[in-house]
Amino acid sequence: SIKSPNKYSGILLQNTLHSVINNNIIVDDRSTKIMKSAIEEEGRSDYNIITDNRVSKGSSNDIVIKGVNTKREGNIIYWIEEA
């Protein structure tokens, strides 16, 4: 959100179990980043599969994993340089 930069992630999994997040394109291509992370797990999220997404790094991270059993594979991380 432009009004609250660095507060929200592109996709937020909050206390989410056994979900599949795949084949998404999540890009923050502004010169000043407003997205916290592209994909983020919070709380008790675990056993998720995050795969084959194309994302850019937000102001903090690209993909944030909390669950020890969550799988993160085959994602492409873009590094968008400022013009």
mmCIF file of all heavy atoms in Angstrom, residues 27-68:
data_model
loop_
_atom_site.group_PDB
_atom_site.id
_atom_site.type_symbol
_atom_site.label_atom_id
_atom_site.label_comp_id
_atom_site.label_asym_id
_atom_site.label_seq_id
_atom_site.Cartn_x
_atom_site.Cartn_y
_atom_site.Cartn_z
ATOM 1 N N VAL A 27 5.598 -8.682 -8.135
ATOM 2 C CA VAL A 27 6.693 -7.770 -8.427
ATOM 3 C C VAL A 27 6.409 -6.394 -7.827
ATOM 4 O O VAL A 27 5.326 -5.847 -7.996
ATOM 5 C CB VAL A 27 6.896 -7.637 -9.958
ATOM 6 C CG1 VAL A 27 7.983 -6.635 -10.279
ATOM 7 C CG2 VAL A 27 7.217 -8.986 -10.572
ATOM 8 N N ASP A 28 7.387 -5.873 -7.124
ATOM 9 C CA ASP A 28 7.353 -4.496 -6.628
ATOM 10 C C ASP A 28 8.429 -3.750 -7.413
ATOM 11 O O ASP A 28 9.597 -3.800 -7.069
ATOM 12 C CB ASP A 28 7.635 -4.467 -5.131
ATOM 13 C CG ASP A 28 7.512 -3.072 -4.528
ATOM 14 O OD1 ASP A 28 7.308 -2.115 -5.282
ATOM 15 O OD2 ASP A 28 7.618 -2.960 -3.293
ATOM 16 N N ASP A 29 8.022 -3.094 -8.484
ATOM 17 C CA ASP A 29 9.008 -2.479 -9.382
ATOM 18 C C ASP A 29 9.106 -0.966 -9.225
ATOM 19 O O ASP A 29 9.632 -0.268 -10.077
ATOM 20 C CB ASP A 29 8.727 -2.849 -10.829
ATOM 21 C CG ASP A 29 7.351 -2.425 -11.305
ATOM 22 O OD1 ASP A 29 6.578 -1.867 -10.508
ATOM 23 O OD2 ASP A 29 7.043 -2.667 -12.488
ATOM 24 N N ARG A 30 8.612 -0.455 -8.124
ATOM 25 C CA ARG A 30 8.748 0.979 -7.852
ATOM 26 C C ARG A 30 10.178 1.278 -7.439
ATOM 27 O O ARG A 30 10.866 0.440 -6.878
ATOM 28 C CB ARG A 30 7.805 1.404 -6.735
ATOM 29 C CG ARG A 30 6.354 1.284 -7.099
ATOM 30 C CD ARG A 30 5.506 1.633 -5.883
ATOM 31 N NE ARG A 30 4.101 1.625 -6.210
ATOM 32 C CZ ARG A 30 3.430 2.688 -6.614
ATOM 33 N NH1 ARG A 30 4.026 3.845 -6.734
ATOM 34 N NH2 ARG A 30 2.155 2.588 -6.909
ATOM 35 N N SER A 31 10.619 2.495 -7.669
ATOM 36 C CA SER A 31 11.972 2.876 -7.253
ATOM 37 C C SER A 31 12.085 2.857 -5.730
ATOM 38 O O SER A 31 13.116 2.496 -5.180
ATOM 39 C CB SER A 31 12.357 4.246 -7.809
ATOM 40 O OG SER A 31 11.440 5.229 -7.379
ATOM 41 N N THR A 32 11.019 3.213 -5.025
ATOM 42 C CA THR A 32 10.955 3.075 -3.569
ATOM 43 C C THR A 32 10.019 1.919 -3.268
ATOM 44 O O THR A 32 8.830 1.983 -3.589
ATOM 45 C CB THR A 32 10.422 4.365 -2.913
ATOM 46 O OG1 THR A 32 11.275 5.451 -3.260
ATOM 47 C CG2 THR A 32 10.360 4.218 -1.404
ATOM 48 N N LYS A 33 10.536 0.851 -2.679
ATOM 49 C CA LYS A 33 9.746 -0.348 -2.418
ATOM 50 C C LYS A 33 8.621 -0.067 -1.427
ATOM 51 O O LYS A 33 8.825 0.602 -0.423
ATOM 52 C CB LYS A 33 10.633 -1.470 -1.865
ATOM 53 C CG LYS A 33 11.791 -1.844 -2.758
ATOM 54 C CD LYS A 33 11.289 -2.448 -4.029
ATOM 55 C CE LYS A 33 12.450 -2.870 -4.908
ATOM 56 N NZ LYS A 33 12.017 -3.057 -6.272
ATOM 57 N N ILE A 34 7.419 -0.586 -1.735
ATOM 58 C CA ILE A 34 6.297 -0.447 -0.812
ATOM 59 C C ILE A 34 5.861 -1.803 -0.261
ATOM 60 O O ILE A 34 5.129 -1.872 0.715
ATOM 61 C CB ILE A 34 5.101 0.277 -1.459
ATOM 62 C CG1 ILE A 34 4.567 -0.499 -2.649
ATOM 63 C CG2 ILE A 34 5.474 1.691 -1.832
ATOM 64 C CD1 ILE A 34 3.242 0.023 -3.167
ATOM 65 N N MET A 35 6.309 -2.890 -0.871
ATOM 66 C CA MET A 35 5.935 -4.231 -0.447
ATOM 67 C C MET A 35 6.952 -4.740 0.583
ATOM 68 O O MET A 35 8.152 -4.654 0.369
ATOM 69 C CB MET A 35 5.916 -5.157 -1.669
ATOM 70 C CG MET A 35 5.482 -6.558 -1.405
ATOM 71 S SD MET A 35 5.304 -7.523 -2.946
ATOM 72 C CE MET A 35 6.989 -7.528 -3.556
ATOM 73 N N LYS A 36 6.465 -5.250 1.702
ATOM 74 C CA LYS A 36 7.347 -5.783 2.751
ATOM 75 C C LYS A 36 8.115 -6.996 2.249
ATOM 76 O O LYS A 36 9.347 -7.029 2.270
ATOM 77 C CB LYS A 36 6.499 -6.148 3.972
ATOM 78 C CG LYS A 36 7.256 -6.696 5.137
ATOM 79 C CD LYS A 36 6.274 -6.966 6.272
ATOM 80 C CE LYS A 36 6.905 -7.704 7.403
ATOM 81 N NZ LYS A 36 5.895 -8.092 8.414
ATOM 82 N N SER A 37 7.416 -8.029 1.807
ATOM 83 C CA SER A 37 7.984 -9.241 1.227
ATOM 84 C C SER A 37 7.039 -9.700 0.128
ATOM 85 O O SER A 37 5.867 -9.348 0.140
ATOM 86 C CB SER A 37 8.113 -10.354 2.269
ATOM 87 O OG SER A 37 8.949 -9.961 3.329
ATOM 88 N N ALA A 38 7.527 -10.505 -0.789
ATOM 89 C CA ALA A 38 6.645 -11.022 -1.829
ATOM 90 C C ALA A 38 5.663 -12.030 -1.243
ATOM 91 O O ALA A 38 4.455 -11.927 -1.438
ATOM 92 C CB ALA A 38 7.457 -11.651 -2.949
ATOM 93 N N ILE A 39 6.184 -13.022 -0.507
ATOM 94 C CA ILE A 39 5.359 -14.042 0.133
ATOM 95 C C ILE A 39 5.854 -14.183 1.565
ATOM 96 O O ILE A 39 7.063 -14.274 1.797
ATOM 97 C CB ILE A 39 5.455 -15.396 -0.602
ATOM 98 C CG1 ILE A 39 5.037 -15.245 -2.074
ATOM 99 C CG2 ILE A 39 4.603 -16.453 0.103
ATOM 100 C CD1 ILE A 39 5.279 -16.467 -2.928
ATOM 101 N N GLU A 40 4.933 -14.214 2.515
ATOM 102 C CA GLU A 40 5.334 -14.274 3.920
ATOM 103 C C GLU A 40 4.417 -15.192 4.718
ATOM 104 O O GLU A 40 3.200 -15.106 4.612
ATOM 105 C CB GLU A 40 5.280 -12.867 4.516
ATOM 106 C CG GLU A 40 5.618 -12.803 5.974
ATOM 107 C CD GLU A 40 5.497 -11.411 6.556
ATOM 108 O OE1 GLU A 40 4.947 -10.506 5.882
ATOM 109 O OE2 GLU A 40 5.941 -11.222 7.691
ATOM 110 N N GLU A 41 5.029 -16.077 5.509
ATOM 111 C CA GLU A 41 4.297 -16.870 6.495
ATOM 112 C C GLU A 41 4.377 -16.163 7.837
ATOM 113 O O GLU A 41 5.428 -15.648 8.205
ATOM 114 C CB GLU A 41 4.926 -18.255 6.679
ATOM 115 C CG GLU A 41 4.619 -19.256 5.638
ATOM 116 C CD GLU A 41 5.149 -20.627 6.013
ATOM 117 O OE1 GLU A 41 6.270 -20.738 6.563
ATOM 118 O OE2 GLU A 41 4.437 -21.590 5.733
ATOM 119 N N GLU A 42 3.254 -16.159 8.567
ATOM 120 C CA GLU A 42 3.211 -15.570 9.904
ATOM 121 C C GLU A 42 2.521 -16.538 10.853
ATOM 122 O O GLU A 42 1.793 -17.438 10.430
ATOM 123 C CB GLU A 42 2.389 -14.272 9.918
ATOM 124 C CG GLU A 42 3.120 -13.036 9.576
ATOM 125 C CD GLU A 42 2.264 -11.800 9.827
ATOM 126 O OE1 GLU A 42 1.051 -11.898 10.100
ATOM 127 O OE2 GLU A 42 2.837 -10.715 9.724
ATOM 128 N N GLY A 43 2.720 -16.302 12.149
ATOM 129 C CA GLY A 43 2.018 -17.067 13.172
ATOM 130 C C GLY A 43 2.399 -18.532 13.157
ATOM 131 O O GLY A 43 3.568 -18.883 13.080
ATOM 132 N N ARG A 44 1.387 -19.397 13.200
ATOM 133 C CA ARG A 44 1.612 -20.838 13.243
ATOM 134 C C ARG A 44 1.596 -21.480 11.859
ATOM 135 O O ARG A 44 1.371 -22.690 11.735
ATOM 136 C CB ARG A 44 0.551 -21.481 14.137
ATOM 137 C CG ARG A 44 0.620 -21.015 15.584
ATOM 138 C CD ARG A 44 -0.398 -21.717 16.483
ATOM 139 N NE ARG A 44 -1.715 -21.884 15.891
ATOM 140 C CZ ARG A 44 -2.737 -21.034 16.033
ATOM 141 N NH1 ARG A 44 -2.594 -19.941 16.755
ATOM 142 N NH2 ARG A 44 -3.896 -21.279 15.463
ATOM 143 N N SER A 45 1.825 -20.730 10.814
ATOM 144 C CA SER A 45 1.831 -21.285 9.459
ATOM 145 C C SER A 45 2.895 -22.372 9.339
ATOM 146 O O SER A 45 4.026 -22.199 9.798
ATOM 147 C CB SER A 45 2.102 -20.188 8.438
ATOM 148 O OG SER A 45 1.044 -19.264 8.407
ATOM 149 N N ASP A 46 2.534 -23.486 8.709
ATOM 150 C CA ASP A 46 3.469 -24.598 8.525
ATOM 151 C C ASP A 46 2.895 -25.581 7.505
ATOM 152 O O ASP A 46 1.720 -25.536 7.180
ATOM 153 C CB ASP A 46 3.719 -25.302 9.864
ATOM 154 C CG ASP A 46 5.038 -26.070 9.894
ATOM 155 O OD1 ASP A 46 5.785 -26.045 8.891
ATOM 156 O OD2 ASP A 46 5.324 -26.695 10.931
ATOM 157 N N TYR A 47 3.740 -26.469 7.024
ATOM 158 C CA TYR A 47 3.376 -27.512 6.062
ATOM 159 C C TYR A 47 2.844 -26.932 4.751
ATOM 160 O O TYR A 47 2.049 -27.571 4.067
ATOM 161 C CB TYR A 47 2.347 -28.492 6.654
ATOM 162 C CG TYR A 47 2.866 -29.272 7.825
ATOM 163 C CD1 TYR A 47 2.608 -28.855 9.127
ATOM 164 C CD2 TYR A 47 3.634 -30.421 7.632
ATOM 165 C CE1 TYR A 47 3.089 -29.569 10.216
ATOM 166 C CE2 TYR A 47 4.122 -31.139 8.718
ATOM 167 C CZ TYR A 47 3.843 -30.707 9.998
ATOM 168 O OH TYR A 47 4.323 -31.403 11.076
ATOM 169 N N ASN A 48 3.260 -25.744 4.394
ATOM 170 C CA ASN A 48 2.859 -25.140 3.126
ATOM 171 C C ASN A 48 3.891 -25.460 2.058
ATOM 172 O O ASN A 48 5.035 -25.783 2.366
ATOM 173 C CB ASN A 48 2.707 -23.623 3.299
ATOM 174 C CG ASN A 48 1.605 -23.287 4.280
ATOM 175 O OD1 ASN A 48 0.473 -23.705 4.119
ATOM 176 N ND2 ASN A 48 1.943 -22.553 5.328
ATOM 177 N N ILE A 49 3.486 -25.362 0.820
ATOM 178 C CA ILE A 49 4.380 -25.555 -0.321
ATOM 179 C C ILE A 49 4.369 -24.264 -1.122
ATOM 180 O O ILE A 49 3.317 -23.838 -1.607
ATOM 181 C CB ILE A 49 3.935 -26.737 -1.200
ATOM 182 C CG1 ILE A 49 3.954 -28.037 -0.372
ATOM 183 C CG2 ILE A 49 4.826 -26.847 -2.425
ATOM 184 C CD1 ILE A 49 3.344 -29.210 -1.089
ATOM 185 N N ILE A 50 5.545 -23.651 -1.238
ATOM 186 C CA ILE A 50 5.689 -22.395 -1.975
ATOM 187 C C ILE A 50 6.642 -22.678 -3.121
ATOM 188 O O ILE A 50 7.847 -22.845 -2.918
ATOM 189 C CB ILE A 50 6.211 -21.277 -1.050
ATOM 190 C CG1 ILE A 50 5.237 -21.077 0.121
ATOM 191 C CG2 ILE A 50 6.414 -19.987 -1.829
ATOM 192 C CD1 ILE A 50 5.725 -20.157 1.205
ATOM 193 N N THR A 51 6.095 -22.781 -4.325
ATOM 194 C CA THR A 51 6.898 -23.274 -5.440
ATOM 195 C C THR A 51 6.564 -22.576 -6.758
ATOM 196 O O THR A 51 5.433 -22.145 -6.987
ATOM 197 C CB THR A 51 6.708 -24.803 -5.583
ATOM 198 O OG1 THR A 51 7.556 -25.294 -6.608
ATOM 199 C CG2 THR A 51 5.284 -25.169 -5.905
ATOM 200 N N ASP A 52 7.591 -22.456 -7.589
ATOM 201 C CA ASP A 52 7.462 -21.967 -8.967
ATOM 202 C C ASP A 52 6.819 -20.581 -9.073
ATOM 203 O O ASP A 52 6.062 -20.305 -9.998
ATOM 204 C CB ASP A 52 6.697 -22.970 -9.825
ATOM 205 C CG ASP A 52 7.416 -24.308 -9.907
ATOM 206 O OD1 ASP A 52 8.667 -24.296 -9.982
ATOM 207 O OD2 ASP A 52 6.750 -25.358 -9.878
ATOM 208 N N ASN A 53 7.121 -19.711 -8.127
ATOM 209 C CA ASN A 53 6.654 -18.328 -8.176
ATOM 210 C C ASN A 53 7.759 -17.441 -8.729
ATOM 211 O O ASN A 53 8.942 -17.749 -8.577
ATOM 212 C CB ASN A 53 6.280 -17.848 -6.771
ATOM 213 C CG ASN A 53 5.138 -18.650 -6.204
ATOM 214 O OD1 ASN A 53 4.007 -18.510 -6.619
ATOM 215 N ND2 ASN A 53 5.448 -19.522 -5.246
ATOM 216 N N ARG A 54 7.389 -16.361 -9.364
ATOM 217 C CA ARG A 54 8.348 -15.347 -9.827
ATOM 218 C C ARG A 54 8.093 -14.096 -9.006
ATOM 219 O O ARG A 54 7.011 -13.523 -9.077
ATOM 220 C CB ARG A 54 8.164 -15.085 -11.320
ATOM 221 C CG ARG A 54 8.466 -16.320 -12.126
ATOM 222 C CD ARG A 54 8.275 -16.230 -13.606
ATOM 223 N NE ARG A 54 7.826 -14.975 -14.143
ATOM 224 C CZ ARG A 54 7.435 -14.802 -15.393
ATOM 225 N NH1 ARG A 54 7.422 -15.816 -16.221
ATOM 226 N NH2 ARG A 54 7.046 -13.628 -15.817
ATOM 227 N N VAL A 55 9.080 -13.717 -8.200
ATOM 228 C CA VAL A 55 8.877 -12.612 -7.270
ATOM 229 C C VAL A 55 10.057 -11.650 -7.301
ATOM 230 O O VAL A 55 11.163 -12.010 -7.689
ATOM 231 C CB VAL A 55 8.669 -13.116 -5.820
ATOM 232 C CG1 VAL A 55 7.536 -14.116 -5.750
ATOM 233 C CG2 VAL A 55 9.930 -13.718 -5.242
ATOM 234 N N SER A 56 9.798 -10.427 -6.863
ATOM 235 C CA SER A 56 10.884 -9.470 -6.645
ATOM 236 C C SER A 56 11.062 -9.301 -5.149
ATOM 237 O O SER A 56 10.157 -9.574 -4.364
ATOM 238 C CB SER A 56 10.587 -8.121 -7.298
ATOM 239 O OG SER A 56 9.522 -7.467 -6.647
ATOM 240 N N LYS A 57 12.228 -8.866 -4.765
ATOM 241 C CA LYS A 57 12.507 -8.618 -3.352
ATOM 242 C C LYS A 57 11.744 -7.376 -2.917
ATOM 243 O O LYS A 57 11.760 -6.368 -3.594
ATOM 244 C CB LYS A 57 14.002 -8.416 -3.153
ATOM 245 C CG LYS A 57 14.435 -8.300 -1.715
ATOM 246 C CD LYS A 57 15.943 -8.220 -1.656
ATOM 247 C CE LYS A 57 16.540 -8.186 -0.291
ATOM 248 N NZ LYS A 57 15.795 -7.714 0.807
ATOM 249 N N GLY A 58 11.055 -7.462 -1.789
ATOM 250 C CA GLY A 58 10.382 -6.306 -1.223
ATOM 251 C C GLY A 58 11.376 -5.489 -0.418
ATOM 252 O O GLY A 58 12.589 -5.646 -0.534
ATOM 253 N N SER A 59 10.871 -4.635 0.444
ATOM 254 C CA SER A 59 11.752 -3.782 1.243
ATOM 255 C C SER A 59 12.517 -4.582 2.286
ATOM 256 O O SER A 59 13.607 -4.193 2.694
ATOM 257 C CB SER A 59 10.932 -2.691 1.932
ATOM 258 O OG SER A 59 10.015 -3.277 2.840
ATOM 259 N N SER A 60 11.970 -5.723 2.725
ATOM 260 C CA SER A 60 12.629 -6.541 3.742
ATOM 261 C C SER A 60 13.205 -7.834 3.172
ATOM 262 O O SER A 60 14.371 -8.138 3.361
ATOM 263 C CB SER A 60 11.639 -6.896 4.859
ATOM 264 O OG SER A 60 11.171 -5.742 5.486
ATOM 265 N N ASN A 61 12.375 -8.613 2.504
ATOM 266 C CA ASN A 61 12.777 -9.932 2.014
ATOM 267 C C ASN A 61 12.022 -10.283 0.745
ATOM 268 O O ASN A 61 11.142 -9.554 0.311
ATOM 269 C CB ASN A 61 12.465 -10.995 3.077
ATOM 270 C CG ASN A 61 13.413 -10.939 4.245
ATOM 271 O OD1 ASN A 61 14.593 -11.188 4.080
ATOM 272 N ND2 ASN A 61 12.902 -10.602 5.419
ATOM 273 N N ASP A 62 12.346 -11.465 0.196
ATOM 274 C CA ASP A 62 11.579 -11.963 -0.936
ATOM 275 C C ASP A 62 10.514 -12.958 -0.456
ATOM 276 O O ASP A 62 9.337 -12.692 -0.527
ATOM 277 C CB ASP A 62 12.495 -12.560 -2.007
ATOM 278 C CG ASP A 62 13.601 -13.435 -1.429
ATOM 279 O OD1 ASP A 62 13.316 -14.256 -0.536
ATOM 280 O OD2 ASP A 62 14.754 -13.289 -1.851
ATOM 281 N N ILE A 63 10.929 -14.107 0.094
ATOM 282 C CA ILE A 63 9.993 -15.105 0.603
ATOM 283 C C ILE A 63 10.387 -15.421 2.042
ATOM 284 O O ILE A 63 11.520 -15.822 2.303
ATOM 285 C CB ILE A 63 10.001 -16.381 -0.264
ATOM 286 C CG1 ILE A 63 9.583 -16.035 -1.701
ATOM 287 C CG2 ILE A 63 9.081 -17.442 0.337
ATOM 288 C CD1 ILE A 63 9.681 -17.183 -2.678
ATOM 289 N N VAL A 64 9.456 -15.232 2.975
ATOM 290 C CA VAL A 64 9.719 -15.439 4.401
ATOM 291 C C VAL A 64 8.981 -16.687 4.861
ATOM 292 O O VAL A 64 7.760 -16.764 4.755
ATOM 293 C CB VAL A 64 9.255 -14.217 5.237
ATOM 294 C CG1 VAL A 64 9.476 -14.468 6.715
ATOM 295 C CG2 VAL A 64 9.979 -12.961 4.782
ATOM 296 N N ILE A 65 9.750 -17.650 5.371
ATOM 297 C CA ILE A 65 9.206 -18.924 5.839
ATOM 298 C C ILE A 65 9.290 -18.982 7.361
ATOM 299 O O ILE A 65 10.351 -18.748 7.931
ATOM 300 C CB ILE A 65 10.011 -20.107 5.245
ATOM 301 C CG1 ILE A 65 10.009 -20.065 3.719
ATOM 302 C CG2 ILE A 65 9.498 -21.438 5.762
ATOM 303 C CD1 ILE A 65 8.671 -20.184 3.091
ATOM 304 N N LYS A 66 8.184 -19.336 8.035
ATOM 305 C CA LYS A 66 8.172 -19.545 9.482
ATOM 306 C C LYS A 66 8.108 -21.028 9.838
ATOM 307 O O LYS A 66 8.717 -21.469 10.795
ATOM 308 C CB LYS A 66 6.977 -18.838 10.130
ATOM 309 C CG LYS A 66 7.053 -17.350 10.110
ATOM 310 C CD LYS A 66 7.995 -16.859 11.159
ATOM 311 C CE LYS A 66 7.954 -15.338 11.189
ATOM 312 N NZ LYS A 66 8.726 -14.771 12.235
ATOM 313 N N GLY A 67 7.313 -21.780 9.089
ATOM 314 C CA GLY A 67 7.093 -23.193 9.408
ATOM 315 C C GLY A 67 8.310 -24.060 9.099
ATOM 316 O O GLY A 67 8.874 -23.975 8.013
ATOM 317 N N VAL A 68 8.690 -24.893 10.040
ATOM 318 C CA VAL A 68 9.863 -25.753 9.836
ATOM 319 C C VAL A 68 9.606 -26.832 8.795
ATOM 320 O O VAL A 68 10.552 -27.389 8.233
ATOM 321 C CB VAL A 68 10.339 -26.385 11.169
ATOM 322 C CG1 VAL A 68 10.812 -25.320 12.136
ATOM 323 C CG2 VAL A 68 9.256 -27.237 11.802
#
